[in-house]
Amino acid sequence: MVQLQWGTSEKLRALLCELVSWQSRSKTDGEVKFAYRLKDKLLSIPYFKQNPDHIAFHDAGLNRNAVTAFYKSPETSDTIVLISHFDTVNTEEYGSLEKLAYSPEELTKELQKHKDELPHDALKDLESGQYLFGRGTMDMKTGLAVHMSIIEKASAENWPINLVLLTVPDEEVDSAGMRAAVPGLVSLQEEHQLTYKLFLNGEPSFSQRNDDPNYYIYSGSIGKIMPSALIYGKETHVGEPMSGVTANYIASFLTSEMEFNAEFRESLYEETTPLPVSLRQRDIMNMEYSVQTPYRAQIMYNVFLMKRTASEVMEIFKRTAEKAANACTKAYHEICKREGVQPVGDIKVIYYEELRKYAENKLGQTTVASLIDEVLQNSSWDDREKSLRIADVLMRNCQELGPAMVLLFAPPYYPAVNSSDDSLVIELTEQTKKAAQTKFGVELKQIHYYNGISDLSYVNYQGSSDGWNVYKQNTPVWGSSYSIPFEDMEKLKAPVFNLGPFGKDAHKRTERLHIDSAFVQLPYLVENLIKTMSSVKKVEV
């Protein structure tokens, strides 16, 4: 019998607590160091001691790295990719307990002294003794820990299937880690002549409502895109308001049409995307007080996807913007008529792509490139701010186009992915449900689109080039600080599946992990799933 480092529930729990203790908040030094610590940990596995070159880094920017660890079987080309992320969100909401946020055992004990601070559901779970609290316990270092235990066992027992453990930074922000890893997966596939059979993610089971006790598995992942707008009005002094038109006035018409707009809703497999909402709406002014009216504003909207491409979303966005612009123009002209003044113009709707071409014809490509580069060099702005600021600087140099709504996309973009109708996924779903019910008495429910956004969006891309070309052309930071490897994503042809631990309250102070689910049930179910796909005798059901 091979002695495994993480072969028992107790040892796996200790591994998780160690991984959690490696604080890896997004865009911190801990996120940078995590990949190196993980590599050292993986090198403790005998297979990787003998094959250290099977562990690789993939540059995700800002000194961060995605990590792949490749167990190669000599018997087959069939390969499963085990996907996780290791970054976490911040911990300020823990308040006086923040110093323990990354110490699950200690935090869980200390919460016994703070019961009066916990909501009823969290208090009930704490008192049950069945949950482990802490940042990253649920979302999602348990997935990584289980994958590490699986690849250790597979390499020790020489399972006749190839496994690629892939864990990435930055999932919580822009998925830079997964986007960087995609070309690496393609290179690995080509170098070793691998046949990718499944992309298996380990994201946790997310509740569908506050009191939802169900444990879910997922055969797809919902998409997300952010149609945005730069609003450009006409400046004036507050003492002469009718000499201009404020961007805030124009923006109010667009948001009233966009918020909760059912035209963006999609339904499939009896599941429905949440309605769109605004994530940001504010004017662009200097920080100091001024009596100049705000004539530039920015808006970002969150839209979820199932089947639609970026091109289709932009078509709906343009129709919505044109409706809003017409309503705004009509209302504004009526006010001007009432006040006996001439309007400064009708409200136009312009694609960012059109604005850039206009600016290049007017100013020259070199000047436009210089204006854009100046925005890109501002390290205090993220990709969303840069996108809107690029549109802003071009409009300030092409003011004759105003008043206008400039339509664009702001990062990130997560294409939807779904494998519910794939024959392998249908088999795995039924097998996993049966194993959970028979072995543990746990009923698993299938959801067709993982509703928490995941890195599965960047594999098995099924869209058309038209869909992504519209995104490229209307994302101002495309090709500089942000890009998506669409061509390589198309090469990663294999179904997707998500099987992770049960937990509650991801991104909250009460984030917690169900202990049996994480350390007993999940390792068994993942192993059973992998053996379903290989010639190894499945674990007893």
Side-chain angles (χ1 to χ4, degrees), residues 80-189:
I80 299 173
V81 182
L82 307 172
I83 301 174
S84 64
H85 71 83
F86 58 76
D87 64 317
T88 72
V89 295
N90 287 328
T91 55
E92 293 91 342
E93 70 274 15
Y94 283 86
S96 63
L97 296 178
E98 187 174 12
K99 64 182 180 181
L100 297 179
Y102 290 101
S103 302
E105 304 287 5
E106 292 86 345
L107 175 63
T108 304
K109 291 178 182 177
E110 185 64 22
L111 283 171
Q112 296 287 345
K113 304 175 185 177
H114 297 263
K115 291 182 178 181
D116 58 329
E117 300 175 13
L118 297 178
H120 174 74
D121 186 52
L123 175 59
K124 180 180 176 181
D125 288 342
L126 175 67
E127 292 180 334
S128 74
Q130 296 176 2
Y131 286 82
L132 191 63
F133 287 69
R135 175 63 78 239
T137 52
M138 173 194 178
D139 184 18
M140 69 158 296
K141 289 180 178 176
T142 296
L144 171 57
V146 170
H147 292 172
M148 291 170 69
S149 71
I150 289 292
I151 204 166
E152 179 193 30
K153 189 171 185 179
S155 62
E157 297 179 357
N158 299 312
W159 291 2
I161 192 162
N162 301 303
L163 297 177
V164 178
L165 182 151
L166 168 62
T167 190
V168 302
D170 191 59
E171 188 270 354
E172 299 289 4
V173 183
D174 290 317
S175 276
M178 189 64 190
R179 290 184 287 115
V182 164
L185 289 177
V186 172
S187 296
L188 194 65
Q189 179 183 38

Side-chain angles (χ1 to χ4, degrees), residues 355-370:
L355 169 61
R356 178 160 181 167
K357 288 179 179 177
Y358 181 93
E360 288 176 341
N361 288 334
K362 176 183 178 180
L363 307 171
Q365 291 185 352
T366 301
T367 299
V368 168
S370 178

Side-chain angles (χ1 to χ4, degrees), residues 18-52:
E18 182 177 4
L19 296 178
V20 169
S21 74
W22 301 346
Q23 301 184 24
S24 50
R25 296 184 301 277
S26 301
K27 294 190 175 180
T28 66
D29 189 51
E31 186 183 28
V32 172
K33 291 178 178 177
F34 191 96
Y36 295 91
R37 288 176 162 178
L38 180 64
K39 181 179 180 179
D40 289 341
K41 200 73 176 174
L42 290 168
L43 286 171
S44 69
I45 298 174
Y47 177 83
F48 292 114
K49 282 183 181 178
Q50 297 167 13
N51 300 278

Side-chain angles (χ1 to χ4, degrees), residues 303-428:
V303 173
F304 287 109
L305 311 168
M306 284 181 171
K307 285 288 190 181
R308 287 187 180 130
T309 64
S311 176
E312 291 168 326
V313 171
M314 184 58 89
E315 287 178 9
I316 301 173
F317 189 35
K318 186 179 183 185
R319 287 200 302 271
T320 303
E322 287 173 341
K323 182 179 178 181
N326 291 336
C328 182
T329 297
K330 180 180 178 182
Y332 169 61
H333 281 215
E334 289 175 353
I335 293 170
C336 289
K337 182 178 180 181
R338 183 193 72 196
E339 299 299 320
V341 298
Q342 285 294 316
V344 297
D346 297 346
I347 312 302
K348 305 177 186 68
V349 175
I350 307 169
Y351 286 140
Y352 169 77
E353 177 187 10
E354 296 172 333
L355 169 61
R356 178 160 181 167
K357 288 179 179 177
Y358 181 93
E360 288 176 341
N361 288 334
K362 176 183 178 180
L363 307 171
Q365 291 185 352
T366 301
T367 299
V368 168
S370 178
L371 290 171
I372 292 174
D373 187 62
E374 186 175 349
V375 174
L376 293 172
Q377 295 307 312
N378 190 322
S379 60
S380 66
W381 291 338
D382 65 13
D383 284 336
R384 286 151 289 283
E385 188 70 27
K386 288 176 181 178
S387 297
L388 290 154
R389 293 284 182 166
I390 288 171
D392 177 54
V393 74
L394 296 185
M395 274 300 295
R396 281 189 282 124
N397 282 275
C398 301
Q399 296 183 33
E400 62 274 17
L401 294 177
M405 303 174 179
V406 181
L407 309 186
L408 55 97
F409 287 120
Y413 171 31
Y414 291 80
V417 61
N418 186 270
S419 300
S420 294
D421 297 328
D422 183 89
S423 58
L424 173 62
V425 169
I426 292 171
E427 177 188 357
L428 294 177

Side-chain angles (χ1 to χ4, degrees), residues 178-381:
M178 189 64 190
R179 290 184 287 115
V182 164
L185 289 177
V186 172
S187 296
L188 194 65
Q189 179 183 38
E190 293 172 350
E191 179 183 354
H192 295 278
Q193 297 298 296
L194 303 178
T195 303
Y196 289 140
K197 305 296 287 187
L198 183 71
F199 294 101
L200 178 62
N201 204 12
E203 288 277 11
S205 173
F206 269 77
S207 301
Q208 297 298 290
R209 58 182 190 276
N210 288 340
D211 59 345
D212 185 4
N214 294 310
Y215 188 173
Y216 298 104
I217 53 178
Y218 306 84
S219 50
S221 192
I222 200 168
K224 167 192 166 108
I225 198 166
M226 291 208 294
S228 304
L230 183 281
I231 309 297
Y232 201 94
K234 173 65 176 174
E235 77 280 6
T236 186
H237 190 284
V238 293
E240 299 179 309
M242 297 311 300
S243 295
V245 59
T246 67
N248 293 341
Y249 178 73
I250 300 170
S252 69
F253 283 84
L254 181 56
T255 291
S256 69
E257 291 294 338
M258 280 295 296
E259 290 266 357
F260 314 126
N261 187 331
E263 192 174 358
F264 287 91
R265 180 163 53 198
E266 293 187 69
S267 296
L268 197 63
Y269 302 112
E270 300 183 349
E271 296 174 15
T272 302
T273 58
L275 293 171
V277 293
S278 57
L279 292 179
R280 175 190 297 174
Q281 180 170 321
R282 67 188 185 201
D283 56 70
I284 304 175
M285 297 289 287
N286 293 327
M287 293 301 294
E288 65 268 13
Y289 172 75
S290 171
V291 292
Q292 183 190 55
T293 58
Y295 66 99
R296 297 134 58 212
Q298 51 181 230
I299 322 175
M300 298 191 310
Y301 302 102
N302 189 90
V303 173
F304 287 109
L305 311 168
M306 284 181 171
K307 285 288 190 181
R308 287 187 180 130
T309 64
S311 176
E312 291 168 326
V313 171
M314 184 58 89
E315 287 178 9
I316 301 173
F317 189 35
K318 186 179 183 185
R319 287 200 302 271
T320 303
E322 287 173 341
K323 182 179 178 181
N326 291 336
C328 182
T329 297
K330 180 180 178 182
Y332 169 61
H333 281 215
E334 289 175 353
I335 293 170
C336 289
K337 182 178 180 181
R338 183 193 72 196
E339 299 299 320
V341 298
Q342 285 294 316
V344 297
D346 297 346
I347 312 302
K348 305 177 186 68
V349 175
I350 307 169
Y351 286 140
Y352 169 77
E353 177 187 10
E354 296 172 333
L355 169 61
R356 178 160 181 167
K357 288 179 179 177
Y358 181 93
E360 288 176 341
N361 288 334
K362 176 183 178 180
L363 307 171
Q365 291 185 352
T366 301
T367 299
V368 168
S370 178
L371 290 171
I372 292 174
D373 187 62
E374 186 175 349
V375 174
L376 293 172
Q377 295 307 312
N378 190 322
S379 60
S380 66
W381 291 338

